[in-house]
Amino acid sequence: MSELQKITENKMGIMPVRKLLLSMAWPAMLSMTINALYNIVDSIFVAKISEDAFTAVSIVNPVQMLIIALSVGSGVGVNSLISRLLGARKQEKADQAASTSILIGLSNYLVFFIIGVFFTKLFVSAYADRGTEIFDSAVIYMQIVCIGSLFLNVQVMLEKVLQSTGNMVAPMVCSLTGAVINIIFDPILIFGLLGFPKMGVAGAAVATVFGQFCCFLIGVVIVCKGEHLVRIEIKGFRLDWGIVADIYKVGFPSIIMQAIGSFMLIFYNMILAVYSTTAVAVLGAYFKIQSFVFMPVFGLNQGAMPIMGYNYGARNKVRLMETYKFGLFLAMCVMGAGLILFQTVPEFLLGMFNASDEMLRIGVPALRIISICFLPAAFGIMTSTLFQGTGHGMLSLYASLLRQLFGILPLAYILIHIGGVTLSWASFPLAEIIGLTYSALVLRWLYRKEIKSM
């Protein structure tokens, strides 16, 4: 066993859990927070063009979420499998899983290349009339982010491979680089500064893709030049369908789980668009702002999962559950702070997007009502991490289906017909309470069935 392996084994299997989780989670939490920042900055600059331009970007937001869902969901499967294989001392299989991840990233890109080329106008026409500013802006923005998503799809795979070995700093460096470049080029390309052409909404999309490209380049350099616990072999690589099946045992439910959020937003926008395009903008603003709260928790999730997976593979019940409990405590702290923010200064949060009087009228109660879901969501996220880290991705999938498809959408449809747009926002906390109940019951069942006897 190499010295690097010994160090990492000690780190994953011996270092005090709280210290370990904090050391592994903070880079991902910082990275995800910066990513949330550049998503918001992107929208803030677009909102300065017009409310129609902001609405156009909000329409495309679910598609961007879908790109991330497919890439990150696949990466969760890679992360979970590699960490479990390393914990079980199966080095060759871990290397094969790492190599397979690149092919998966390329396959994911092909899906969105096809969508960007052939289905963009059809998608946008469901929300806006052809020939309007909203329609034209949404089409060009969606085409650019879909056709340019190659770098994001591959880079996410590289990040997940590194995270599965306990390396959280290198992925952070990649994400921070992409975020900073995006933030810098957003105003330059949108407003035509420093001699660049004024591109408007298209400039925001180009800045996003350029940031992803730079992030991808740094990821390739880190993987190729550094010494890591797993190796990615391109030359002579032979696909093992057993490895693919193992990746998607956790990855497919994770893809569906994250994609559900995208589909929920697509159909929620359809429900709202009948009543007001401003309500669509409000929901888009909410999802941008709430990312500041949820993204750090998802970063915590990324730090916790390889620890859970490693110790589950090593059959160490105490460290597995300690990771879960401390992670849940930290998630509650972050979500609690977010709840206070949304309840006290919703006007300020919406004001970042040049909110009109109508947008404030709809948006202030929206932010206060929806944010009630934050605390139960913290429990759901960390419990799903435990399900995924132990190889039970389907349990997480069922929780997401229950909350977002069988919860939020039907409730929103019913409530909006009973009490209008404002009452429909209550669908979020109500659905989250349903999800919390499910997750608590399944966690108890899983602990008694599997974890207790480890």
Side-chain angles (χ1 to χ4, degrees), residues 105-221:
L106 294 173
S107 300
N108 289 345
Y109 167 64
L110 182 61
V111 173
F112 291 101
F113 176 83
I114 293 172
I115 290 174
V117 172
F118 297 107
F119 297 103
T120 297
K121 292 183 178 180
L122 178 64
F123 173 82
V124 176
S125 64
Y127 304 94
D129 295 330
R130 293 174 182 262
T132 62
E133 180 187 351
I134 294 177
F135 180 86
D136 293 340
S137 297
V139 166
I140 189 64
Y141 189 88
M142 181 172 165
Q143 286 177 335
I144 292 172
V145 297
C146 285
I147 296 172
S149 66
L150 169 64
F151 311 112
L152 173 65
N153 279 288
V154 177
Q155 171 257 327
V156 167
M157 290 299 141
L158 297 177
E159 285 192 7
K160 295 303 179 185
V161 169
L162 292 170
Q163 288 172 355
S164 69
T165 66
N167 184 346
M168 307 301 291
V169 174
M172 178 193 71
V173 171
C174 293
S175 294
L176 287 179
T177 301
V180 170
I181 289 174
N182 191 354
I183 290 171
I184 292 172
F185 276 89
D186 254 333
I188 292 174
L189 297 180
I190 291 172
F191 303 114
L193 307 178
L194 303 178
F196 283 84
K198 183 178 179 180
M199 301 176 67
V201 170
V206 172
T208 296
V209 172
F210 183 59
Q212 293 168 354
F213 170 71
C214 295
C215 186
F216 160 78
L217 283 184
I218 293 178
V220 170
V221 171

Side-chain angles (χ1 to χ4, degrees), residues 267-313:
F267 289 110
Y268 209 133
N269 281 340
M270 288 182 178
I271 293 171
L272 294 174
V274 175
Y275 290 82
S276 167
T277 56
T278 300
V280 174
V282 166
L283 189 60
Y286 162 75
F287 271 94
K288 295 290 184 180
I289 302 167
Q290 63 91 35
S291 63
F292 258 125
V293 181
F294 279 80
M295 287 302 177
V297 178
F298 290 142
L300 177 63
N301 166 311
Q302 292 180 16
M305 186 176 298
I307 303 173
M308 292 179 181
Y310 184 96
N311 286 285
Y312 179 76

Side-chain angles (χ1 to χ4, degrees), residues 46-57:
V46 168
K48 291 183 181 299
I49 301 173
S50 67
E51 186 173 303
D52 282 350
F54 179 68
T55 302
V57 173

Side-chain angles (χ1 to χ4, degrees), residues 231-252:
R231 294 185 303 171
I232 294 178
E233 298 286 350
I234 302 299
K235 186 177 181 180
F237 168 71
R238 297 182 64 182
L239 182 63
D240 183 336
W241 288 104
I243 292 289
V244 174
D246 285 341
I247 288 173
Y248 280 104
K249 181 180 178 182
V250 172
F252 182 73

